[in-house]
Amino acid sequence: MLTKNLPRILIYATLLLAAFFFLAPLYVMLATSFKDAEQIRSGNLLSLPTSLNFEAWSAAWSTACTGVDCRGLQPFFTNSIIMAVPAVLISTAWGAINGYVLSMWKFKGSEVLFGFMLFGVFMPFQVVLLPMSQVLGFLGLSSSLGGLILVHCIAGLAGTTLFFRNYYTAIPKELVNAARIDGAGFWRIFFRIVVPMSTPILMVTLIWQFTNIWNDFLFGVAFSGADSKPITVGLNNMANTSSSVKSYNVDMAAAVIAGLPTMLVYVLAGQYFVKGLTAGAVKG
């Protein structure tokens, strides 16, 4: 009996070991964030806090210093929300329309255009920093949240187009042809037929884009101004701010606060992400 179940036992043991190593940093951050300075000095990295102390969380949110600004992460968190929500919605909607056109309304050269768009998926973002900064300056959007929204929409467009295009190629062409015969136009087919069938890939794209935009540091540090820095830049500034005594508990609480939105998104909508990836895995 043991020999029969040995492969399954080994699989579960391997998965549990991988989960332990993956979750260990999160445990250290949470445990340290609830400790006071004395517990951090006298204990060890893996020890549990003797009590739940929320002072570090309060400081990280509202009073910790990032350089000379001592307002905590609250303004950076607000900036990230203002930036991420419209950028995610616009880039997702834009990618859905592109995918719809490139899969169901093909035109001469559409495959070549799609091939060029795929370069955006693999191109390192560092190479576009200089031309993008020039474009933002020309548009008058330098060092603003509007500029960051535009940058993330453009940077994510190749990926969202790829997701939707590959998913839409699996939709039966007979549905679209029948709608055309009945007199439905471009937008009516899109909103009445295609969008209601797009829930799996829509969830994948929303989660993917939100995670990428919220966790982005490169564009945030390159294109933001003093009042438009996202939370990743604020967290970096907080961790690098010099003081007489290093407040590791505050830094750990700040790190958890910065990662909490993406963790919640995956906890609440992770099943849709997996289903959506499975639905579009062999299409195109």
Side-chain angles (χ1 to χ4, degrees):
M1 188 66 177
L2 181 61
T3 304
K4 182 179 179 180
N5 294 328
L6 185 60
R8 178 171 296 184
I9 294 173
L10 290 176
I11 291 174
Y12 280 110
T14 303
L15 291 176
L16 287 173
L17 184 62
F20 170 78
F21 281 106
F22 183 79
L23 294 175
L26 179 60
Y27 164 78
V28 171
M29 286 192 297
L30 284 172
T32 305
S33 68
F34 290 115
K35 297 176 183 178
D36 55 28
E38 180 60 31
Q39 291 183 61
I40 294 175
R41 287 193 296 267
S42 60
N44 59 67
L45 197 64
L46 300 178
S47 62
L48 287 169
T50 56
S51 62
L52 295 181
N53 187 339
F54 290 93
E55 291 182 3
W57 289 75
S58 177
W61 178 251
S62 59
T63 62
C65 293
T66 55
V68 296
D69 186 354
C70 294
R71 295 179 294 167
L73 287 182
Q74 184 175 359
F76 303 99
F77 194 93
T78 303
N79 288 340
S80 284
I81 292 177
I82 296 173
M83 173 193 68
V85 172
V88 169
L89 295 179
I90 293 172
S91 60
T92 300
W94 199 351
I97 295 171
N98 284 350
Y100 169 57
V101 171
L102 292 172
S103 61
M104 299 183 183
W105 297 77
K106 293 185 177 181
F107 50 89
K108 185 177 180 179
S110 60
E111 293 298 327
V112 176
L113 176 61
F114 178 64
F116 278 114
M117 290 194 68
L118 287 182
F119 280 113
V121 178
F122 307 103
M123 182 175 61
F125 289 141
Q126 289 84 351
V127 302
V128 302
L129 291 181
L130 181 57
M132 188 67 73
S133 65
Q134 293 176 328
V135 171
L136 292 179
F138 177 78
L139 297 175
L141 296 174
S142 298
S143 303
S144 68
L145 287 173
L148 283 175
I149 292 172
L150 177 61
V151 168
H152 283 296
C153 287
I154 295 175
L157 185 60
T160 58
T161 299
L162 174 64
F163 286 158
F164 282 103
R165 185 262 184 189
N166 286 354
Y167 185 83
Y168 288 158
T169 53
I171 296 178
K173 298 297 187 296
E174 291 77 10
L175 288 175
V176 178
N177 294 334
R180 289 179 181 176
I181 293 173
D182 290 340
F186 180 90
W187 292 112
R188 190 171 186 181
I189 293 174
F190 180 67
F191 287 111
R192 293 291 185 88
I193 297 176
V194 176
V195 171
M197 301 176 66
S198 303
T199 301
I201 198 62
L202 188 64
M203 295 302 299
V204 169
T205 309
L206 288 173
I207 295 173
W208 177 267
Q209 279 297 93
F210 180 79
T211 303
N212 287 340
I213 293 173
W214 186 272
N215 291 335
D216 171 73
F217 178 78
L218 178 64
F219 290 153
V221 75
F223 300 129
S224 63
D227 298 323
S228 59
K229 296 185 184 300
I231 195 166
T232 49
V233 179
L235 178 62
N236 176 75
N237 293 347
M238 181 182 295
N240 291 323
T241 297
S242 300
S243 60
S244 57
V245 179
K246 187 64 175 176
S247 301
Y248 292 104
N249 51 351
V250 176
D251 290 345
M252 294 298 181
V256 176
I257 291 173
L260 195 58
T262 51
M263 286 189 287
L264 288 177
V265 165
Y266 275 102
V267 168
L268 297 176
Q271 58 177 328
Y272 301 105
F273 185 79
V274 175
K275 290 179 181 178
L277 284 179
T278 304
V282 294
K283 307 299 189 292

